[in-house]
Amino acid sequence: MRIYTVDAFTDRAFHGNPAGVCLLDAPMPDSWMQSLASEMKHSETAFLLQGENGGPHSLRWFTPAVEVALCGHATLATAHVLYSTGAASGTVEFSTKSGILSVTGDENGLITMDFPAKAIQETTPPRGLVEALGVKPLWIGRNEWDYLVEVESEEAVRAASPDFTALAAVDARGVIVTAEAAGNDADYVSRFFAPRVGVPEDPVTGSAHCALSPYWTARLGRETLTGHQLSERGGMVRTTVRGARVELSGYATTVLSGELHI
């Protein structure tokens, strides 16, 4: 079986978010996929099983510790592998735990993914969340997966230094810290911490932008925005709100390809 490492939400190697992409020849046990994801050590490894009779491909995502219901950067990486190897063209559909997701690539390598919007509702923070983050929140909300914490400035997002052990005790997939961008290259900035699922800080998180996009669209009054995730590697996500859906767009580049000897 073929396996790849792809840097997603970037057009340069060793930036953005690396994802594993495994092209399955046949269905494999969940335990095997979890073991391979742990071996790869990327924040997510995607497993693609080709669809039958032209139907959607089956796509699943595993962190080094658990399976997740939605992953943007590993979906982008998977689409990039299909397009760059000539295995697919035009619109591609994936059958996932979050329903049917479609992706489309253009002639310049930009890939656009159609994802569900994950709106955030204001909430009272759980005990220990603010202390674990070590930030001064302006607003705190939550959706079915994550907490979103808005802080006063881009600099405050950059300076955040969570206590990951304490943060892992918070009952959520992860925590998004965000602020309006200070410069002109982006509209908002963010970081994403998910130690509870084995990812202390994710370099670029597509699924988090399913919440960030509608949140900042409501705040800034524009449907199309650019988010800059301020991890050490960094990455850019272009977002457009389409009602109950969000379009996430970005580039990707293949760093490694090989063959599994298992």
Side-chain angles (χ1 to χ4, degrees), residues 200-215:
E201 180 170 5
D202 197 32
V204 193
T205 315
S207 60
H209 286 77
C210 293
L212 286 161
S213 177
Y215 179 77

Side-chain angles (χ1 to χ4, degrees), residues 120-141:
I120 295 286
Q121 302 296 325
E122 188 171 11
T123 190
T124 301
R127 183 177 180 180
L129 172 60
V130 174
E131 294 80 3
L133 285 174
V135 301
K136 295 181 180 180
L138 296 180
W139 190 91
I140 297 177

